[in-house]
């Protein structure tokens, strides 16, 4: 069997740190090698991180796929870690996806159209509901390790989660109430919230299994990734 490599195109540093330090060790146990790349924001200046347009993401992904298409001793799969929140409106299926109030139906529509447009058999699209920080809501208590003076504030974040039935993925994409906005607003009076560092720390503490238990869409994605070695036999 050829070596199985999973290439993850990440929207930003937070997703990249998660993929490298949380997801990679988990998939290593299944003989899957994880490699990551940040979206290129400015090719001339080699600035990376942040999605400006769908064409930007498609270009990066297409170039990466082409780069590995002829390596017969390796089997390359590709996936993404993009946020549904603030997704560019030129994304395939964007208009139709935003006509439904069911966030799961919306994100599945986007991923389906994304897959059709890339048109590569070993591409597994993933768009996070509604953004990466939903995963942080799976383990809010771990924030107390670095911020023991935030007990009251973190309890308030817990009430936000309760409002959505304990499902972090349903915390919405409104600019005022998206997961990261709520966490940053809660922290801003006392501390600076370091998104990449704390995102990695909390999700590592919760673990992939714990994240899957609380986030259905995330669970579906991870289980697809866990099975790619079976397809390569």
């Amino acid at each position: 069997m050829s070596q199985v490599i999973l290439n993850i195109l990440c929207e930003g540093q937070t997703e990249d740190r998660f993929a490298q330090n949380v997801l990679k060790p988990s998939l290593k146990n299944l003989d899957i090698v994880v490699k990551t790349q940040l979206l290129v924001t400015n090719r001339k200046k080699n600035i990376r991180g942040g999605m400006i347009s769908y064409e930007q993401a498609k270009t990066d992904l297409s170039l990466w796929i082409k780069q590995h298409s002829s390596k017969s001793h390796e089997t390359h799969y590709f996936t993404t870690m993009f946020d549904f929140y603030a997704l560019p409106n030129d994304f395939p299926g964007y208009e139709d996806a935003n006509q439904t109030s069911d966030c799961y139906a919306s994100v599945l529509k986007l991923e389906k159209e994304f897959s059709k447009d890339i048109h590569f058999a070993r591409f597994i699209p993933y768009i996070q509901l509604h953004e990466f920080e939903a995963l942080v809501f799976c383990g809010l208590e771990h924030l107390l390790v670095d911020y023991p003076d935030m007990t009251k504030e973190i309890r308030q974040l817990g009430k936000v989660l309760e409002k959505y039935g304990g499902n972090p993925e349903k915390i919405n994409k409104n600019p005022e109430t998206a997961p990261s906005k709520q966490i940053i607003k809660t922290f801003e009076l006392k501390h600076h919230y370091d998104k990449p560092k704390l995102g990695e720390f909390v999700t590592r503490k919760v673990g992939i299994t714990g994240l899957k238990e609380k986030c259905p869409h995330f669970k579906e994605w991870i289980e697809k990734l866990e099975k790619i070695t079976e397809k390569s036999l």
Side-chain angles (χ1 to χ4, degrees):
M1 184 181 73
S2 62
Q3 185 177 42
V4 177
I5 299 174
L6 176 66
N7 301 287
I8 308 176
L9 185 60
C10 300
E11 182 170 344
Q13 293 181 1
T14 306
E15 290 83 3
D16 187 69
R17 286 183 65 155
F18 167 81
Q20 283 287 346
N21 301 317
V22 184
L23 184 55
K24 183 176 182 176
S26 175
L27 294 179
K28 183 179 180 181
N29 295 328
L30 298 172
D31 294 322
I32 299 170
V33 177
V34 170
K35 296 184 178 180
T36 65
Q37 182 172 295
L38 283 170
L39 281 171
V40 178
T41 311
N42 187 314
R43 205 164 295 278
K44 289 183 178 179
K45 296 182 179 180
N46 196 29
I47 297 173
R48 295 177 178 267
M51 190 185 301
I52 299 170
S53 69
Y54 171 69
E55 284 304 313
Q56 165 205 12
K58 181 179 179 179
T59 297
D60 284 7
L61 190 57
S62 298
L63 287 172
W64 206 5
I65 290 172
K66 186 177 180 180
Q67 180 184 346
H68 295 294
S69 60
S70 61
K71 295 186 177 180
S72 59
H73 63 290
E74 298 172 343
T75 301
H76 285 263
Y77 283 81
F78 294 82
T79 190
T80 53
M81 279 200 82
F82 299 161
D83 289 342
F84 188 27
Y85 171 68
L87 197 70
N89 61 13
D90 64 338
F91 215 90
Y94 183 90
E95 188 173 336
D96 288 345
N98 281 275
Q99 289 179 352
T100 175
S101 58
D102 182 342
C103 63
Y104 287 98
S106 294
V107 79
L108 287 174
K109 174 68 175 176
L110 288 164
E111 289 176 349
K112 181 180 179 181
E113 295 301 317
F114 189 13
S115 180
K116 284 170 60 178
D117 194 50
I118 297 300
H119 194 60
F120 181 70
R122 295 192 301 277
F123 173 51
I124 304 169
Y126 180 64
I127 298 172
Q128 175 70 45
L129 279 171
H130 280 89
E131 59 176 340
F132 178 87
E133 281 69 29
L135 302 179
V136 176
F137 269 86
C138 293
L140 293 169
E141 68 278 7
H142 296 296
L143 292 171
L144 290 170
V145 174
D146 283 347
Y147 303 100
D149 62 334
M150 294 285 289
T151 301
K152 180 180 177 181
E153 290 83 357
I154 290 170
R155 190 179 297 124
Q156 290 174 346
L157 287 174
K159 290 180 179 179
V160 171
L161 183 57
E162 290 175 9
K163 180 181 175 183
Y164 291 91
N167 184 345
E169 290 183 334
K170 289 189 175 181
I171 302 175
N172 65 39
K173 60 176 181 173
N174 186 292
E176 298 298 321
T177 56
S180 67
K181 303 299 182 184
Q182 302 219 40
I183 294 173
I184 291 169
K185 185 177 180 181
T186 298
F187 268 71
E188 64 184 0
L189 294 177
K190 292 184 178 180
H191 301 283
H192 165 69
Y193 182 76
D194 187 330
K195 290 177 63 177
K197 176 185 175 183
L198 292 171
E200 176 198 334
F201 174 75
V202 172
T203 54
R204 183 158 40 84
K205 287 292 186 181
V206 175
I208 295 296
T209 300
L211 297 172
K212 286 166 63 177
E213 287 173 354
K214 295 185 178 181
C215 299
H217 187 57
F218 176 85
K219 178 176 183 287
E220 290 177 359
W221 176 54
I222 294 297
E223 290 182 348
K224 288 178 184 177
L225 301 183
E226 291 171 340
K227 293 176 181 176
I228 61 177
T229 49
E230 298 174 10
K231 297 178 182 179
S232 302
L233 293 174

